[in-house]
Amino acid sequence: MKTLFDNKTDKSEAVLSAIGHMPTKSLPVLMDSEFSLSLTDSELMRIAVLLAQKSYEEGGCPIGAVIIDNTTRKIVGKGHNTLVQEDHPYNHGETSAIRDAGRIDFSQTTIFTTLSPCDVCMTLIYMRGFNRVVVGDITNAAGNEALLRDKGIDVDILEDQQGIELYRQFRSEKPEQDLEDWLGLSALNKN
């Protein structure tokens, strides 16, 4: 089967955006296995940031995540925060990507997340057996990286400036929504 993206395809912002917006199950039609193998960690983080941008444009919290198979580097799950869009209290970027991946062995995968995982996402990453997490922003939020490492999970920091600026902008525009995303409506009601 002929795919659109192969090892000769330039990994432009438009190409990475198409990957981010295409349903995960349809990605084999879009890109071949050599293209998947050639995706760098920075490019995978860029896809996660583009998903965060999608959430922001939908009125949500700008957090995105991408999960890859460690051997083939094929994307097996991706998602973005839909707390506001779906009126869902814990559908964060990471939980959305895990749900998209479905029932797989996560011990053979890496999750790329645009922001340091919250307590819920950190716990789910550990419970599902991920062996590696790549975090794109510890400037705006950090804290659970040491806990993940203590659980035997490799944690790499690969800060993405576009993602950092996007979350900084969101936090200044919508501090209440940011607080709700991290601590729930009860935290807002206490203020």
Side-chain angles (χ1 to χ4, degrees), residues 11-180:
K11 295 180 203 127
S12 66
E13 193 88 357
V15 166
L16 298 177
S17 182
I19 293 166
H21 289 79
M22 172 79 87
T24 303
K25 290 186 182 353
S26 299
L27 287 176
V29 173
L30 188 64
M31 52 194 207
D32 68 15
S33 50
E34 285 185 19
F35 184 88
S36 294
L37 277 170
S38 73
L39 286 169
T40 66
D41 285 358
S42 295
E43 290 160 344
L44 290 159
M45 184 58 72
R46 170 69 39 215
I47 295 168
V49 169
L50 291 166
L51 288 164
Q53 180 71 41
K54 180 179 191 290
S55 181
Y56 178 78
E57 291 168 0
E58 293 172 351
C61 303
I63 305 166
V66 172
I67 301 169
I68 64 162
D69 176 279
N70 289 338
T71 303
T72 65
R73 294 190 67 85
K74 288 183 181 178
I75 295 171
V76 296
K78 53 191 173 64
H80 62 284
N81 186 300
T82 57
L83 171 88
V84 171
Q85 303 92 308
E86 294 181 9
D87 192 30
H88 197 292
Y90 58 87
N91 203 17
H92 293 175
E94 300 93 335
T95 59
S96 179
I98 292 168
R99 185 182 68 204
D100 184 50
R103 295 174 63 212
I104 65 170
D105 179 357
F106 290 103
S107 71
Q108 304 304 310
T109 66
T110 297
I111 186 167
F112 293 79
T113 178
T114 60
L115 192 66
S116 178
C118 71
D119 293 346
V120 170
C121 293
M122 186 243 352
T123 301
L124 188 58
I125 288 167
Y126 165 69
M127 287 177 60
R128 291 296 166 247
F130 282 88
N131 71 1
R132 182 174 178 236
V133 178
V134 181
V135 180
D137 179 359
I138 59 167
T139 299
N140 289 301
N144 283 325
E145 293 77 23
L147 291 169
L148 288 166
R149 287 183 182 112
D150 288 346
K151 296 289 187 182
I153 300 169
D154 291 332
V155 178
D156 294 316
I157 309 303
L158 181 63
E159 286 202 299
D160 181 283
Q161 285 307 113
Q162 184 179 340
I164 291 168
E165 290 307 315
L166 177 63
Y167 202 84
R168 182 177 294 134
Q169 177 183 345
F170 162 76
R171 185 170 266 172
S172 70
E173 292 171 353
K174 299 181 178 180
E176 296 85 13
Q177 188 177 335
D178 179 54
L179 182 62
E180 177 189 354

Side-chain angles (χ1 to χ4, degrees), residues 176-188:
E176 296 85 13
Q177 188 177 335
D178 179 54
L179 182 62
E180 177 189 354
D181 188 61
W182 282 91
L183 299 173
L185 283 175
S186 62
L188 280 178

